[in-house]
Amino acid sequence: MHTRFARAGALVATSLLAISVAACSPPEKESPASSSNAATPASAADLGGMDQLVAAAKKEGQLNVIALPPDWANYGEIIKAFEAKYGLKVNSAQPDASSQDEINAANRLKGQGNAPDVFDLGGAVALANVAMFAPYKVATWAEVPDALKEAGGAWINDYGGYMSIGYDAGKVPAPASVADLLKPEFKGKVALNGDPTQAGAAFSGVVMAALGNGGSADDVAKGVDFFGQLKKAGNFLPVDPTPATIESGQTPVVIDWDYLNVAQGTKLKGKLDWKTVVPANAVLGSYYVQAISKDAPHPAAARLWQEFLYSDAGQNLWLKGGARPVRADAMDKAGTLDKTAYAALPPFTGSPVFLTDAQTQKAKDYLAANWAKTVS
């Protein structure tokens, strides 16, 4: 899962080791972006249209992505589909990196041919690094709600879901609420997907805990306090959950996005009974953020990648992975949404809470000041 599973543990602010992209993509001394006329267009039309964008991307021949585990929101299939459609090689670096690691990599490798071309980030990290993004509006830009994109094109939400509790039904009882995780039956069993000061999933897990314990989108203190109580009770498990730790039974309860927990249940069917619940009193929704690096070594490929992700095909591939694509409403009206996949999404009751930019920043600041001293 996007430790985005190790995004969870790699999430802890560790200094980034040198990023190694696929062996077929040796580091270049200089980024080709500076000499490319694809480094500045804010839309395909600015480059002369999609045919010209495709041609420019094919000339570059490759795309560098980072922090995209193949089992996270169906990215494995998405990457293969993009490669097959356009004949480009996708170099996937550090699939288990955190959102902050993506930013660190871009800064560390700036000017090199193996620097990230594009980002897939949690909202808090994205908002803190907007200056690093190249404005670009995909062809379907108008079909994305205004609240889910930056007006100038710096970033755009891509896919989302609801925070959930995944659990091995053979080891623990079904939790009906976040507070249930404090019960003795969960001693040493509750894992969080990452460090909430750096990982989008973990950050949202804390907000979910706040909502489930009398807090609000404007005050996540009760979420931090909850994890402090969880640790004091001996229920918090300081292990980064991965598909392997779930299958082995090491992390029998995982707080993470519903699409990731559901994906684990599908993958482990017949091996263990992994179930997913979205707490009715704490329905937190969130979208991840797509952005293009302003220093992308393959700027045309980066823009073509965005066009693919926001096409009907790309959106339905995210949906196939259990994630809710940002264009779902528009596609539903147009009859292009995969309705079978949409109907299979986890149910929830109540009105989902979505944090505003201001609430996200306020929560991020509170976590930076209080998480370590409360939970570490």
Side-chain angles (χ1 to χ4, degrees), residues 58-139:
K58 284 180 176 291
K59 185 176 180 180
E60 292 172 352
Q62 57 189 307
L63 172 77
N64 296 341
V65 301
I66 183 172
L68 301 184
D71 60 351
W72 176 282
N74 202 29
Y75 263 121
E77 186 174 352
I78 289 171
I79 288 172
K80 289 179 181 177
F82 178 75
E83 289 180 319
K85 183 175 178 67
Y86 295 110
L88 301 180
K89 170 63 181 174
V90 176
N91 304 309
S92 181
Q94 272 194 259
D96 287 333
S98 71
S99 292
Q100 186 59 48
D101 286 340
E102 296 184 52
I103 298 300
N104 294 347
N107 287 324
R108 185 184 184 92
L109 300 173
K110 183 177 180 179
Q112 299 183 38
N114 59 342
D117 287 308
V118 290
F119 301 114
D120 179 289
L121 303 164
V125 174
L127 289 176
N129 294 281
V130 176
M132 295 177 66
F133 307 155
Y136 185 78
K137 295 183 180 182
V138 294

Side-chain angles (χ1 to χ4, degrees), residues 72-73 99 120-127 147-148 155-164 199-208 211 217 256-260 278 282-290 322-326 348 351-357 359-360:
W72 176 282
S99 292
D120 179 289
L121 303 164
V125 174
L127 289 176
L148 302 180
W155 58 261
I156 180 172
N157 286 138
D158 44 18
Y159 59 87
Y162 300 116
M163 282 310 295
S164 68
F203 171 88
S204 295
V206 176
V207 179
M208 179 189 77
L211 297 177
D256 207 346
W257 293 115
D258 56 357
Y259 51 89
L260 299 182
V278 177
V283 184
L284 178 72
S286 182
Y287 286 92
Y288 271 84
V289 173
Q290 279 291 322
R324 294 168 169 82
V326 73
F348 67 93
S351 298
V353 173
F354 290 88
L355 269 62
T356 64
D357 291 353
Q359 289 169 333
T360 296

Side-chain angles (χ1 to χ4, degrees), residues 232-307:
K232 186 175 181 180
N235 292 13
F236 185 58
L237 181 62
V239 173
D240 291 336
T242 67
T245 64
I246 289 177
E247 183 172 357
S248 69
Q250 185 181 5
T251 54
V253 180
V254 174
I255 295 175
D256 207 346
W257 293 115
D258 56 357
Y259 51 89
L260 299 182
N261 274 322
V262 168
Q264 291 307 305
T266 300
K267 182 178 179 180
L268 296 172
K269 190 173 182 179
K271 295 182 179 180
L272 57 83
D273 189 11
W274 187 260
K275 295 185 176 181
T276 302
V277 60
V278 177
N281 63 336
V283 184
L284 178 72
S286 182
Y287 286 92
Y288 271 84
V289 173
Q290 279 291 322
I292 296 171
S293 172
K294 70 177 184 181
D295 298 309
H298 310 104
R303 286 158 172 77
L304 185 59
W305 171 252
Q306 299 297 302
E307 294 288 356

Side-chain angles (χ1 to χ4, degrees), residues 287-341:
Y287 286 92
Y288 271 84
V289 173
Q290 279 291 322
I292 296 171
S293 172
K294 70 177 184 181
D295 298 309
H298 310 104
R303 286 158 172 77
L304 185 59
W305 171 252
Q306 299 297 302
E307 294 288 356
F308 179 72
L309 293 179
Y310 289 90
S311 68
D312 289 348
Q315 296 279 291
N316 275 325
L317 284 171
W318 268 325
L319 180 56
K320 183 178 178 181
R324 294 168 169 82
V326 73
R327 289 183 53 235
D329 287 347
M331 289 171 63
D332 188 29
K333 292 177 182 176
T336 58
L337 189 70
D338 183 338
K339 294 188 176 181
T340 299

Side-chain angles (χ1 to χ4, degrees), residues 34-49:
S34 59
S35 61
S36 172
N37 63 355
T40 56
S43 69
D46 288 348
L47 196 62

